[in-house]
Amino acid sequence: MTRTHSGNRSDEARPRLEGVLAPVPTPFLSDGTFDRTAFRENLSRWIEAGLHGFVVLGSAGEAPMLSEEEAVDVLHSAREAIPEDRWMIAGVGRHATRLTIDAARAARDAGADAALVLPPYYYRRVTSNSALVEHFRSLADAVDLPLLIYNMPSYTGVDLPTPTIVAMAEIPGIIGIKDSSGDLTKLAAVRHQTPNAFAVLAGSAGFFVPALASGASGGVLALANIAPTMCLRLWNAAQSGHWDEARDLQARLIEANAAITRRWGPAGLKTALDLLGYRGGAPRPPLSALPEEAQKELASVLMEAGLQMDAKEAQ
Amino acid sequence: MTRTHSGNRSDEARPRLEGVLAPVPTPFLSDGTFDRTAFRENLSRWIEAGLHGFVVLGSAGEAPMLSEEEAVDVLHSAREAIPEDRWMIAGVGRHATRLTIDAARAARDAGADAALVLPPYYYRRVTSNSALVEHFRSLADAVDLPLLIYNMPSYTGVDLPTPTIVAMAEIPGIIGIKDSSGDLTKLAAVRHQTPNAFAVLAGSAGFFVPALASGASGGVLALANIAPTMCLRLWNAAQSGHWDEARDLQARLIEANAAITRRWGPAGLKTALDLLGYRGGAPRPPLSALPEEAQKELASVLMEAGLQMDAKEAQ
Amino acid sequence: MTRTHSGNRSDEARPRLEGVLAPVPTPFLSDGTFDRTAFRENLSRWIEAGLHGFVVLGSAGEAPMLSEEEAVDVLHSAREAIPEDRWMIAGVGRHATRLTIDAARAARDAGADAALVLPPYYYRRVTSNSALVEHFRSLADAVDLPLLIYNMPSYTGVDLPTPTIVAMAEIPGIIGIKDSSGDLTKLAAVRHQTPNAFAVLAGSAGFFVPALASGASGGVLALANIAPTMCLRLWNAAQSGHWDEARDLQARLIEANAAITRRWGPAGLKTALDLLGYRGGAPRPPLSALPEEAQKELASVLMEAGLQMDAKEAQ
Amino acid sequence: MTRTHSGNRSDEARPRLEGVLAPVPTPFLSDGTFDRTAFRENLSRWIEAGLHGFVVLGSAGEAPMLSEEEAVDVLHSAREAIPEDRWMIAGVGRHATRLTIDAARAARDAGADAALVLPPYYYRRVTSNSALVEHFRSLADAVDLPLLIYNMPSYTGVDLPTPTIVAMAEIPGIIGIKDSSGDLTKLAAVRHQTPNAFAVLAGSAGFFVPALASGASGGVLALANIAPTMCLRLWNAAQSGHWDEARDLQARLIEANAAITRRWGPAGLKTALDLLGYRGGAPRPPLSALPEEAQKELASVLMEAGLQMDAKEAQ
């Protein structure tokens, strides 16, 4: 397989996986196809803001909405825009191990630095935790790319238990977890039972402060798409032990974060981007653009959080 | 697009959708690729047994485990084996409307008589019921193929409410529902609020008798793969008002049915097929073959249900 | 303890537990205390309508809202009003075995023919199924009163599995189950695995027809409070094999049933009674009377079901 | 009503509600009745250890297992043992507002400093959040005793949303919340949207550190019953900004905490007390003493956490 991109850092070159990463949305043109220009425009602004890295083809990126061909196209566009000193992590969850291997190889070929692996969940009621560990082992054996576990119970119905995560963390090549469960008891247990090199990342800004207080090294935050500067300030505050400031920032952003995740999902995120001067657009059906009433409500939520268009992000 | 198969019956030719249909498993060779021969062998036995039709690429068929190319391959093989007087229904659930349209067109081109549509569920928390109705409407508009709704809450986490199903049933081209929820209150309400031509099919043998008593016209039963004759007898008994006999048959089969669905899923179904002289084999990882202990337990469950290899199915 | 009432039939005298039973509401005076007069007035109408029996202090009767003293008072009032040829069944669920024994003894002393036992559920996450079986065994040993199991997952979060119910059914003194789960697969399995003398009763009119088709001998139906005649007609139709008629009746009543159970609970039931000329009144806070808008909606649901005041119940 | 105890501090006297409180178990004699002596012995050790206060009749105290008379007895015994400079908080959840008022008055008369109010949950599916707010308002109006909200979704199935908690916090007399949900996003939002005087307490040691980092002022920790000194050290560490030490302590105790809560409940807690030289004994049936195998496992979990009998609690 040819490598047409930079990326895929060797172990020596790779910086610690920490800080604030954004799970980036995938914009579409009015005919519904991938809007490469808008995608790269957004990325260049987030890079300039100083975000530590990006998850491409995550839940916020409408990954399940794309064909395999489109997914590869998005990954290539991302790598062209993302410099080597920032993480590019590719979402690669599929239901079969063999399809996941194919997706991870495509991600590596597109220059991703790591893959974020959603565990298979359709047959969750008849899939044992040890089968899930084997899934990750097969994947790590087959593909030469660092892997992150993606625990996302609200979408998948699978909430990986601590011993399963710990067993996965022992597999060479598995370098961390993005945990969107919000279960801080589990996050602390995972942090305690895995080596320091295993990165524990909060999956939402809603619990970023307590996650950092519990030993997380960063977060993959949808909020970072619309408030990169404030998310970085929050992270820096926590890093330097200014918990009160971190807490205040998080509290101030909590409604905006809920609006673009739990409440309105990708449609909310894209509308917020449009309101703030980024390139959002419509999600793919059956997801649909926010109705006008909801748009107004979202605008006022953003305003209250100190986020507004044409102004620099609030300091 | 070329049509290389028969199938796709016109409205005049199409018989009422009723009776016992099997959601057929997809067998694999030892290298993990689709085993066409085994697939057709199984089908020919089920056809001979008199089943009214087949769902190809349903949950029992490990549909989420296949690539798009493999899915098309399976559909073509199925149509070659399934005669025109039996229903061939293709599972086509995808998360995006546009991908579902592509899948449904491929099913039509492969000669399917109808498509079984799993509603998009990954973003279920931010997808309204009316957006799901629109999804079905777009699909019906775009593809010239009869459509069935597939309500499967235990796998998808989406349990379509009655008014949503009724709204979908009003869309031309939507001809019925396979309801695997086991909610008989809903099934009766749907039956009552939709025209008679709208087919209500039970999604599991576990509640086939009460579903028929509530007005269902048939069932898509994983159990029909391993006990086609007994499922047909049960249906005939209910048709002729012999409820006691129908009830006895169902009770006798209830453990076997649980074993190949809720309890062990596709792995249980495939092992049962092997034990009964059909072609089962291993499921795709992360699904895994039953451990020996479970195989023995399954064998004894089948025995108690009067199902055994090399004997004709119990009369 | 003195016996001041009739009731407590000996085994010889006891008729088979079948037919239509009503779980009766507990009316309150404007000062919030038990309204004995209203209670007896309602009972006399339901007795006249021909209902086979009554559950006093069930979920519809706001049992958890009453003090122990009030509960005893309600039971005595009930027994005075309910003739010996109708079943009087007393709800006695408590969280501790010893408190349940006390409640069951009080029910026996008040003349109840049987007790309906909600399994303890507060500690459900740390209570094994075998501990629940022992709970029932201790109760049956300690109290000379026939017992019914009450499976009510939507309120308790406990859904008794089939083997647990079957184990309970083997305990002398346990004569049946009221199953409100709506899981017809389980109901059929329980029916199949227990002796005929063990009564299986549907816990809601929403699935009364499929339950009867699956071998239930009757139902404890909140709907019987507002539509006793139609519920009896439905039961008679099913008894004589007129399933189409039974199905039609159930379909016609399904919205009215939802309104007084799942949707509005005891407040809906009491408002419906007021609208139909019975004695309803307000439930105990925090349950609250229906807002005006909801009352209108309920009135129109009752109308559509053919239920109206001052007219005899629709024929 | 006569006041026979001290307690019921006036507002001036009351210290801020913070630090480490233990939800104490209720020991029973071999005949199943309340063991006053054992209860007071335990309390005197915990008081000596320096715990800031106690919840009597909480979930760990098997409150739902006691009759009203027994509950009053336990409260009186507690107040006799608990000095005025420690909080004595009485659990008073009942399903009806009027019964809750009675229970809260009995708690006040027994000398409790505050009541912990589990929201009514049996009818949760038909009880609006505003009805729950009214429940708390009626209670605060009727009883002259500070009230705490008890959010305990894993037992009750009710997870109070942030706006409901905020509305309750505005009612005079409602002084705080014990939140056992483990939802740190909510805890931070509640902290942010309520006045500082409103106490936010973590409901479990599993997430004590992130809760403190998010602004909680203390915790009601079952773990404090078996590891009071270590819980106090953890709290002190967090107070003085030594988050690493706090995190280590929590991680070390996490399995022991799970063992006496989620995993084995009151039976686990009581067995642990016996193993550590406190007075545990058997819980009330249907809860049952731990089987021998589980006892051994629990002993080894305690050992690994550095908790053992006859030695002072590990430093």
Side-chain angles (χ1 to χ4, degrees), chain D residues 116 148-153 158-160 162 165 176-188 190 199-204 207 211 218-220:
Chain D
L116 180 63
L148 285 143
I149 305 159
Y150 187 9
N151 190 41
M152 182 35 141
V158 174
D159 194 2
L160 297 173
T162 301
I165 296 170
I177 183 169
K178 170 187 177 185
D179 188 355
S180 295
S181 72
D183 179 345
L184 272 290
T185 304
K186 178 189 297 185
L187 189 145
V190 166
V200 175
L201 304 174
S204 166
F207 50 88
V220 180

Side-chain angles (χ1 to χ4, degrees), chain D residues 212-236:
Chain D
L212 292 172
S214 300
S217 64
V220 180
L221 313 176
L223 187 66
N225 288 301
I226 61 167
T229 309
M230 286 170 91
C231 288
L232 286 165
R233 277 182 54 204
L234 194 166
W235 187 69
N236 286 320

Side-chain angles (χ1 to χ4, degrees), chain B residues 182-186 188-189 191-193 204 206-207 209-215 243 247-248 250-252 254-255 257 262, chain C residues 182-186 188-189 191-193 204 206-207 209-215 243 247-248 250-252 254-255 257 262:
Chain B
D183 180 344
L184 271 290
T185 303
K186 179 190 294 185
R191 176 66 297 164
H192 185 63
Q193 296 177 42
S204 167
F207 51 87
V209 168
L212 293 172
S214 301
W243 292 99
R247 202 147 56 216
D248 282 353
Q250 179 178 288
R252 200 165 133 193
I254 217 161
E255 286 302 311
N257 180 59
R262 247 181 327 155
Chain C
D183 179 344
L184 272 290
T185 304
K186 177 190 296 184
R191 174 68 296 163
H192 186 62
Q193 297 176 42
S204 167
F207 50 88
V209 168
L212 293 171
S214 300
W243 292 99
R247 202 149 55 218
D248 282 353
Q250 179 178 288
R252 201 166 133 193
I254 217 161
E255 286 301 312
N257 181 58
R262 247 181 330 156

Side-chain angles (χ1 to χ4, degrees), chain B:
Chain B
M1 299 182 197
T2 59
R3 280 292 311 281
T4 57
H5 298 286
S6 62
N8 292 341
R9 274 178 287 235
S10 66
D11 274 10
E12 305 76 45
R14 196 185 316 135
R16 180 170 153 77
L17 183 46
E18 66 176 14
V20 179
L21 293 89
V24 299
T26 306
F28 300 109
L29 292 164
S30 56
D31 69 355
T33 58
F34 173 47
D35 184 346
R36 191 182 326 264
T37 311
F39 186 60
R40 299 191 56 167
E41 248 183 72
N42 285 342
L43 276 170
S44 75
R45 289 185 58 181
W46 293 319
I47 290 160
E48 195 184 1
L51 291 178
H52 299 83
F54 303 92
V55 167
V56 183
L57 301 180
S59 302
E62 295 175 63
M65 298 299 199
L66 304 179
S67 73
E68 295 292 348
E69 296 71 24
E70 291 175 315
V72 168
D73 197 8
V74 171
L75 291 175
H76 281 272
S77 293
R79 186 74 271 181
E80 284 162 18
I82 300 171
E84 287 206 40
D85 64 340
R86 313 292 172 97
W87 283 87
M88 169 180 157
I89 302 175
V92 300
R94 299 294 184 278
H95 289 291
T97 304
R98 54 193 292 145
L99 299 184
T100 313
I101 289 172
D102 290 347
R105 284 183 177 148
R108 186 204 54 198
D109 293 347
D113 298 310
L116 180 64
V117 186
L118 199 67
Y121 56 90
Y122 188 76
Y123 295 106
R124 64 191 173 283
R125 291 171 188 277
V126 291
T127 305
S128 66
N129 289 322
S130 64
L132 292 180
V133 174
E134 285 319 299
H135 173 77
F136 275 84
R137 193 185 312 280
S138 301
L139 191 59
D141 285 352
V143 190
D144 182 26
L145 188 68
L147 304 175
L148 285 143
I149 305 158
Y150 187 9
N151 191 41
M152 181 38 142
S154 73
Y155 280 156
T156 63
V158 174
D159 194 3
L160 298 172
T162 302
T164 301
I165 297 170
V166 170
M168 290 172 174
E170 284 164 6
I171 300 170
I174 301 204
I175 65 165
I177 184 169
K178 171 188 176 184
D179 188 354
S180 295
S181 71
D183 180 344
L184 271 290
T185 303
K186 179 190 294 185
L187 189 145
V190 167
R191 176 66 297 164
H192 185 63
Q193 296 177 42
T194 55
N196 262 334
F198 183 80
V200 176
L201 303 174
S204 167
F207 51 87
F208 196 29
V209 168
L212 293 172
S214 301
S217 66
V220 180
L221 313 176
L223 187 67
N225 287 303
I226 62 166
T229 309
M230 284 170 92
C231 288
L232 287 165
R233 275 182 56 204
L234 193 166
W235 188 69
N236 286 320
Q239 288 300 101
S240 42
H242 299 131
W243 292 99
D244 285 352
E245 187 191 346
R247 202 147 56 216
D248 282 353
L249 279 162
Q250 179 178 288
R252 200 165 133 193
L253 294 166
I254 217 161
E255 286 302 311
N257 180 59
I260 61 169
T261 55
R262 247 181 327 155
R263 187 162 176 197
W264 287 308
L269 173 56
K270 286 185 160 178
T271 302
L273 289 173
D274 282 332
L275 289 168
L276 297 171
Y278 291 88
R279 306 285 299 266
R284 278 206 164 157
L287 295 179
S288 49
L290 289 199
E292 204 174 334
E293 202 57 37
Q295 286 190 31
K296 280 183 195 159
E297 202 180 334
L298 175 57
S300 103
V301 166
L302 297 178
M303 189 84 75
E304 277 170 47
L307 300 168
Q308 42 204 306
M309 172 139 126
D310 283 341
K312 297 251 180 204
E313 197 187 328
Q315 309 296 326

Side-chain angles (χ1 to χ4, degrees), chain A:
Chain A
M1 299 182 195
T2 59
R3 284 290 314 280
T4 56
H5 297 287
S6 61
N8 293 338
R9 276 179 286 235
S10 66
D11 274 10
E12 305 77 46
R14 196 186 315 138
R16 182 170 151 75
L17 182 46
E18 64 175 18
V20 179
L21 294 88
V24 299
T26 307
F28 299 110
L29 292 164
S30 57
D31 70 355
T33 58
F34 173 48
D35 185 346
R36 192 180 327 263
T37 311
F39 186 61
R40 301 191 55 167
E41 247 183 73
N42 286 342
L43 276 169
S44 74
R45 288 185 57 181
W46 293 319
I47 289 160
E48 195 184 0
L51 291 179
H52 299 83
F54 303 93
V55 167
V56 183
L57 301 179
S59 302
E62 296 175 63
M65 298 299 199
L66 304 179
S67 72
E68 295 293 346
E69 295 71 26
E70 291 173 315
V72 168
D73 197 9
V74 171
L75 291 175
H76 281 272
S77 293
R79 187 73 272 182
E80 284 161 18
I82 299 172
E84 287 204 40
D85 65 340
R86 314 291 172 96
W87 283 87
M88 169 179 157
I89 301 175
V92 301
R94 299 293 185 277
H95 290 290
T97 305
R98 58 192 291 143
L99 299 184
T100 314
I101 290 172
D102 290 347
R105 284 184 176 148
R108 185 203 53 197
D109 294 346
D113 298 310
L116 179 64
V117 186
L118 197 68
Y121 56 89
Y122 188 75
Y123 295 106
R124 64 190 174 282
R125 289 169 190 277
V126 292
T127 304
S128 66
N129 289 322
S130 63
L132 292 179
V133 174
E134 285 319 299
H135 173 78
F136 275 84
R137 193 184 312 279
S138 302
L139 190 58
D141 285 352
V143 189
D144 182 26
L145 188 68
L147 304 175
L148 285 143
I149 305 158
Y150 187 9
N151 190 42
M152 183 35 142
S154 75
Y155 279 156
T156 64
V158 174
D159 194 2
L160 297 173
T162 302
T164 302
I165 296 169
V166 171
M168 289 172 174
E170 284 164 7
I171 300 170
I174 302 205
I175 63 165
I177 183 168
K178 171 188 176 184
D179 189 354
S180 297
S181 71
D183 179 345
L184 272 290
T185 303
K186 178 190 296 184
L187 190 145
V190 167
R191 175 66 297 164
H192 185 63
Q193 297 176 42
T194 55
N196 260 334
F198 183 80
V200 176
L201 303 174
S204 168
F207 49 88
F208 196 30
V209 168
L212 293 171
S214 301
S217 65
V220 180
L221 313 177
L223 187 68
N225 287 302
I226 62 167
T229 308
M230 285 169 92
C231 288
L232 287 164
R233 276 182 56 204
L234 192 166
W235 187 70
N236 286 320
Q239 287 300 102
S240 41
H242 299 131
W243 292 100
D244 284 352
E245 185 190 348
R247 202 150 51 221
D248 282 354
L249 278 162
Q250 179 177 287
R252 198 164 133 194
L253 294 165
I254 215 160
E255 286 301 312
N257 181 58
I260 62 169
T261 55
R262 244 179 333 153
R263 186 161 178 196
W264 287 309
L269 172 56
K270 287 186 158 177
T271 302
L273 289 174
D274 282 332
L275 289 168
L276 296 170
Y278 291 88
R279 306 284 300 264
R284 276 207 165 158
L287 295 178
S288 47
L290 290 199
E292 204 174 336
E293 201 57 37
Q295 287 191 31
K296 282 184 193 158
E297 202 180 332
L298 175 57
S300 102
V301 166
L302 297 178
M303 189 84 75
E304 278 170 46
L307 301 168
Q308 44 204 302
M309 174 138 127
D310 282 340
K312 296 252 182 207
E313 198 186 328
Q315 309 295 326

Side-chain angles (χ1 to χ4, degrees), chain D residues 43-67:
Chain D
L43 277 170
S44 73
R45 289 186 57 181
W46 292 320
I47 289 161
E48 194 184 1
L51 292 179
H52 299 82
F54 303 92
V55 167
V56 183
L57 302 179
S59 301
E62 296 175 65
M65 297 299 198
L66 304 179
S67 71

Side-chain angles (χ1 to χ4, degrees), chain D residues 116-154:
Chain D
L116 180 63
V117 186
L118 197 69
Y121 56 90
Y122 189 76
Y123 295 104
R124 64 191 173 282
R125 291 170 188 279
V126 291
T127 305
S128 66
N129 289 322
S130 63
L132 292 179
V133 175
E134 285 319 299
H135 173 78
F136 276 82
R137 193 184 310 281
S138 301
L139 190 58
D141 285 352
V143 189
D144 182 26
L145 188 70
L147 304 176
L148 285 143
I149 305 159
Y150 187 9
N151 190 41
M152 182 35 141
S154 75

